[in-house]
């Protein structure tokens, strides 16, 4: 006899409490007493794409600004922030991504009020002490140095540069370059923060051993009087594919293995084809041990330890790509085999069994994705970010079930291209 | 977990009852540990084998890890593709990992699908096939895996430090094995290794999650109880002699970033001083996460971060203390900032080490280490996968109660214990210093 789980219900609009502050901040709370911990996860509408409005030579400004937020606030010094959070075993982080700046914290529930206060201080009232900003800059420069010695990082940078045209934010390194890391000023950081950090569009998800009432009081006390406004955001430029195959190899002496990535710009997460694309991509490069790619390139020929395919998705036209690590002598063979698998997907689609297996995988893995507070918070964040509705997880099995074999073949033909793509290798 | 109220009336307390683990030993020697957790409809099955790189010698280094790969190649009942397919299509996650002391296989499944994992694990415990063709295709996969690790300077440095720190004990080679052994390994050697170590008497099964313990035990008895106990695994007799003087290795390689590692001979998990070392590490380098799959907190307020990172000498600092069967290493690792030298970082590290040896740590530092660990316990045991991991992991070097006693042991550590252990372990005659010198910084 298997006992019924204490709470097997999926997060939905009935068990997710939600409210908005007067300044527009949207708050969602999922109460869960399975462990004595609380996870806070959210984002605000400031990101790497915004730094391009601050003139040339500002690559990495969004990321650097977010990294400096916890270097000191109007109430706490850098030392106090880390002494306080680490002394209670908690963690807090803020980091810029392309479209948003994400923030989060995890603590015992008794310490959640302190974590909300620290996050609010860092987001709203950073003071950017010049000595601390210079320490952060030195760490940034070191990270960029280390990046030049990573085949994965160098491959990824070139891939973005070739896939997206100059002027498109995806073309550039979100972490900046050595030259911009040296030239970005403290004033740039202050101006970026003052111009793009604001409550409009900000979302906060709280999961764990805490009541919605307590969260409401905490959010009101710490964010209720925030009245900043952000500058208008530029639209993303259109992306047109460059015809033919563009190959680039980055020579990195001393490396045993070469990283390979090939692909092209694809679709945003909000596109109606997303679910069919996700299922098709799972068959191609994810299911089990790297899907069909794993069968052909790893199991049959033993050419790689890892290989996979992914749609980046996101709010813009994120890329589709196939990635692998292989011996320098087998790069061409990996490319040949993975292109052949992709072409087979376009020409012959998937079998009934493959579609059924992958549908079951998509719905069957939901309980695992929802086991932790972080997992639940991530799902709620996704539902809000992509406007899926808070009952998305209830509807999810039907959405998966509705996809057909024809849909998968159609999206493979629409969104994958084996003749016009970018291929980068580094090693 | 004691609650602590604040002005919002929020307390850290549990509303989900967690059961105590149940331990059973079958007639064939198989140890079974069960822990019911009904917070989510998820169950995990771990199968632990007492075999890792500790059980290897030159010529067959990496064999335990390679056998782990072969365990995914199928049996007469389940071929490779079928095993993968059946687990994944039910929404399950599966993987395996080989370490110095053990090899572990796990499936985390929707609770009502766990029977499939039981059937597959019971089958491959005794029926794994070692076909020559598959051994050969896996050879290049594993060499690729090693080459992937070699791309990172930290792997090459760690490999050299381990080799220098252990002259006798098999802890001296990496789990992945030497490349020459990966080229020369035979199908028969792999099959023999499997036959020697994969048996009920050399295994521990842990199940955690949403199930009824009596029902689960009956299923496990049916699936695993029919197997013969198997041969007695040969003991590891090597004992590393006491180190009598500093050892120093230098690895030169590509890039422009230098790295430093200092590895000290450290006690095994069951030694009385182990928890004092954990407290010392927390003070020096910050609290370690207790989730095997990541986690932990930042370490910006730790002593060594303040001395090295805040001063711009180092980009980061990390401490490594691991529970092991035999005496292993306590390591300190730093990334040297551009414009700074390895010797500047090393000098500062020694200054801090001498300070803690001379003056010990403060009460508030020890209290902080304890509170940090309490929080990491709450986070690290949130998932069934982690719960089962800790139950089984502890059985490899002690027994499952080691984890239950972790907090009480840590709370009993005194300031004097930490200072004494600092003086014993952070000994200049017991250290192996490893330097990665980037080509761009030669000279």
């Amino acid at each position: 006899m298997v006992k019924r789980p204490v709470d097997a219900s999926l997060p939905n609009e009935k068990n997710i409490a939600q409210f908005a502050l007067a300044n527009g901040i949207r708050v969602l709370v999922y109460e869960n007493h399975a462990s004595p911990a609380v996870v806070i996860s959210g984002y605000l509408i400031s990101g790497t794409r915004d730094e391009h409005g601050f003139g040339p030579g500002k690559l990495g400004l969004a990321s650097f600004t977010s990294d400096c937020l916890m270097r000191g606030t109007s109430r706490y010094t850098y030392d106090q922030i880390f002494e306080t959070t680490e002394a209670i075993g908690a963690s807090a982080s803020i980091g810029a991504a392309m479209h948003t700046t994400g923030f989060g914290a995890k603590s015992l529930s008794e310490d959640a009020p302190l974590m909300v206060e620290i996050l609010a201080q860092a987001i709203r009232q950073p003071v950017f002490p010049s000595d601390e900003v210079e320490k952060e800059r030195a760490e940034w420069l070191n990270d960029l140095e280390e990046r030049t010695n990573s085949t994965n990082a160098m491959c990824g940078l070139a891939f973005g540069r070739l896939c997206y045209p100059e002027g498109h934010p995806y073309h550039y390194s979100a972490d900046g370059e050595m030259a911009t890391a040296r030239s970005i000023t403290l004033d740039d950081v202050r101006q970026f923060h003052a111009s793009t950090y604001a409550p409009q569009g900000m979302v906060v998800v709280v999961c764990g051993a805490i009541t919605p009432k307590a969260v409401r009081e905490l959010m009101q006390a710490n964010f209720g009087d925030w009245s900043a406004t952000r500058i208008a955001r530029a639209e993303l430029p259109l992306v047109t594919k460059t015809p033919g195959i563009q190959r680039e190899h980055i020579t990195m002496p001393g490396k045993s293995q070469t990283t390979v990535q090939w692909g092209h710009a694809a679709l945003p997460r909000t596109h109606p084809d997303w679910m069919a694309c996700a299922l098709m991509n799972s068959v191609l490069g994810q299911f089990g041990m790297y899907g069909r790619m794993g069968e052909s390139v790893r199991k049959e020929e033993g050419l790689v330890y890892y290989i996979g395919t992914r749609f980046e998705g996101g709010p813009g036209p994120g890329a589709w790509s196939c990635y692998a690590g292989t011996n320098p002598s087998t790069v061409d063979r990996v490319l040949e085999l993975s292109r052949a698998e992709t072409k087979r997907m376009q020409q012959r689609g998937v079998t009934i069994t493959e579609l059924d297996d992958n549908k079951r995988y998509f719905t069957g893995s939901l309980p695992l994705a929802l086991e932790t507070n972080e997992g639940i918070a991530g799902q709620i964040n996704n539902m809000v970010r992509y406007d899926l509705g808070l009952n998305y997880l209830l509807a999810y099995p039907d959405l998966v079930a509705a996809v057909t074999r024809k849909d998968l073949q159609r999206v493979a033909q629409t969104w994958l291209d084996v003749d016009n793509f970018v291929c980068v290798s580094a090693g | 977990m004691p609650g602590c109220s604040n002005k919002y009336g929020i307390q850290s307390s549990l509303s989900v009852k967690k059961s105590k683990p149940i331990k059973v030993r079958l007639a064939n020697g198989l140890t079974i540990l069960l822990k019911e957790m009904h917070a989510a409809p998820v169950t995990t099955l771990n199968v632990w084998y007492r075999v890792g790189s500790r059980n290897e010698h030159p010529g067959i280094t990496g064999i335990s890890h390679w056998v782990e790969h072969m365990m995914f190649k199928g049996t007469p009942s389940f071929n490779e593709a079928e095993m993968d397919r059946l687990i994944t299509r039910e929404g399950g996650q599966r993987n395996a990992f080989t370490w110095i002391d053990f090899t572990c296989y796990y499936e985390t499944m929707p609770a009502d699908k766990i029977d499939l994992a039981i059937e597959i694990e019971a089958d491959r415990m005794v029926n794994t096939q070692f076909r020559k063709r598959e051994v050969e295709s896996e050879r290049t996969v594993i060499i690729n895996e090693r080459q992937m690790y070699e791309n990172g300077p930290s792997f090459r440095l760690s490999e050299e430090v381990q080799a220098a720190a252990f002259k006798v004990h098999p802890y001296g080679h990496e789990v992945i094995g030497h490349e020459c052994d990966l080229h020369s390994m035979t199908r028969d050697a792999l099959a023999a290794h499997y036959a020697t170590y994969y048996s009920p008497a050399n295994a521990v099964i842990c199940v955690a999650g949403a199930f009824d313990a009596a029902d689960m035990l009956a299923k496990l008895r049916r699936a695993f109880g029919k197997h013969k106990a198997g041969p007695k695994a040969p003991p590891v007799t090597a004992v590393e002699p006491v180190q009598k003087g500093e050892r120093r290795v230098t690895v030169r390689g590509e890039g422009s970033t230098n790295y430093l590692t200092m590895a000290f001979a450290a006690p095994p998990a069951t030694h009385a001083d182990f928890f004092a070392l954990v407290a010392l590490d927390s003070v020096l380098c910050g609290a370690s996460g207790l989730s095997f799959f990541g986690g932990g907190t930042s370490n910006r307020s730790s002593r060594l971060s303040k001395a090295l990172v805040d001063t711009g000498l180092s980009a980061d600092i990390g401490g490594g203390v691991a529970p092991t069967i035999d005496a292993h290493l306590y390591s300190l690792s730093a990334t040297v900032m551009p414009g700074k030298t390895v010797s500047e970082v090393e000098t500062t590290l020694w200054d801090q080490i001498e300070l803690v040896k001379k003056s010990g740590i403060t009460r508030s530092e020890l209290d902080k280490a304890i509170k940090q660990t309490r929080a990491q316990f709450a986070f690290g045991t949130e998932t069934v996968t982690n719960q089962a991991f800790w139950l089984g992991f502890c059985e490899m070097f002690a027994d499952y109660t080691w984890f239950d006693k972790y907090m009480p042991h840590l709370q009993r550590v005194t300031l004097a214990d930490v200072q004494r252990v600092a003086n014993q372990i952070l000994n200049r005659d017991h250290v192996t210093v490893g330097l990665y010198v980037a080509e761009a910084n030669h000279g």
Side-chain angles (χ1 to χ4, degrees), chain B residues 222-240:
Chain B
R222 273 197 301 276
F224 292 91
K226 61 193 176 194
H227 297 332
K228 289 180 183 164
K232 190 172 167 55
V236 175
T237 55
V239 178
E240 188 66 27

Side-chain angles (χ1 to χ4, degrees), chain A residues 50-62:
Chain A
D50 293 311
E51 70 197 21
H52 300 281
F54 286 74
K58 305 301 179 196
L59 295 183
L61 176 58

Side-chain angles (χ1 to χ4, degrees), chain A residues 154-210:
Chain A
M154 296 312 288
C155 192
L157 277 177
F159 182 77
R161 176 166 48 76
L162 292 175
C163 269
Y164 296 92
E166 272 190 55
H168 195 289
Y170 292 8
H171 176 87
Y172 304 97
S173 160
D175 296 322
E177 304 291 352
M178 280 289 182
T180 61
R182 291 195 182 98
S183 66
I184 284 173
T185 66
L186 185 54
D187 278 348
D188 291 332
V189 171
R190 289 186 197 283
Q191 195 192 345
F192 186 82
H193 178 264
S195 308
T196 67
Y197 280 59
Q200 298 87 46
M202 177 170 152
V203 171
V204 183
V205 177
V206 181
C207 287
I210 191 165

Side-chain angles (χ1 to χ4, degrees), chain A residues 1-8 32-38 71 78-79 82-83 85-91 106-113 135-136 138-139 141-142 145-146 148-149 151 209-210 214 217-218 221-222 253-259 287-289 295 298-306 325-328 353 356-358 360-361 364-365 367-368 370-374, chain B residues 1-4 6 8 10-16 18 36 38-42 69 72-73 80-81 84-85 88-93 108-111 113 133 137-138 140-141 144-145 147-153 156 210-212 215 219 254-257 259 296-302 306 309-310 315-316 335-338 368 371-372 374-376 378-379 382-385 436:
Chain A
M1 291 282 288
V2 174
K3 288 180 184 170
R4 283 190 63 77
V6 171
D7 182 4
N32 174 20
H33 293 269
S35 77
V38 169
R71 285 281 173 176
Y78 166 82
D79 282 344
F82 285 97
E83 281 287 352
T85 54
E86 291 173 11
I88 56 176
S91 57
K106 184 167 187 175
S107 70
L108 292 174
S109 45
E110 70 206 33
D111 299 319
K135 287 182 188 173
E136 192 63 47
E139 290 183 20
L141 286 163
N142 179 69
E145 282 278 3
E146 289 198 274
T148 62
N149 198 23
T151 56
I210 191 165
E217 290 172 16
L218 280 170
N222 288 282
K255 296 300 184 189
S256 303
Q257 188 172 87
T258 298
T259 302
F287 184 85
M289 195 172 282
E295 283 291 328
R298 175 174 159 146
K299 290 179 187 171
E300 287 298 317
E301 299 221 2
L303 297 177
V304 298
Y305 174 63
Y306 71 90
T326 191
N327 187 276
T353 304
D356 181 52
D357 286 348
N358 280 270
R360 289 181 63 151
Y361 163 57
S365 57
L368 276 65
L370 296 168
E371 192 188 357
T372 62
N373 285 321
E374 283 103 325
Chain B
M1 193 76 70
C4 172
N6 50 45
Y8 295 93
I10 305 165
Q11 294 187 342
S12 295
S13 60
L14 287 171
S15 67
V16 177
K18 291 188 177 174
E36 286 188 48
H38 294 275
V42 177
H69 276 235
F72 289 84
K73 291 293 179 187
E80 178 181 18
D84 250 356
R85 175 179 167 257
T88 311
R89 78 194 293 260
E90 300 298 357
Q93 289 175 353
T108 301
M109 307 286 294
K113 306 293 183 191
R133 181 179 174 277
S137 74
E138 214 55 25
T140 46
V141 169
N144 260 294
E145 184 179 356
Q147 290 174 340
M148 177 183 75
Y149 299 144
E150 285 174 358
N151 266 14
R156 280 173 272 156
F211 57 83
D212 176 87
D215 181 51
K219 286 179 183 174
E254 78 288 354
S256 53
T257 306
Y259 302 89
T297 180
S298 55
N299 69 350
R300 297 275 177 159
S301 66
S302 68
K306 285 183 172 178
V309 180
D310 278 9
D316 53 45
T335 304
V336 181
M337 283 290 266
K368 177 177 159 186
K371 167 92 191 211
Q372 286 175 324
R374 182 165 83 88
Q376 295 309 314
F379 308 150
E382 204 177 2
T383 67
V384 295
T385 307
Y436 181 89

Side-chain angles (χ1 to χ4, degrees), chain A residues 149 253-256, chain B residues 146-163 174 249-255 259 435-437 439:
Chain A
N149 198 23
K255 296 300 184 189
S256 303
Chain B
R146 187 185 155 91
Q147 290 174 340
M148 177 183 75
Y149 299 144
E150 285 174 358
N151 266 14
S154 56
F155 172 83
R156 280 173 272 156
L157 179 57
S158 168
E159 184 169 43
E160 288 298 324
V161 168
Q162 272 179 253
E174 282 285 344
V249 293
T250 301
V251 177
R252 296 189 192 279
E254 78 288 354
Y259 302 89
L435 315 175
Y436 181 89
V437 180
E439 283 160 353

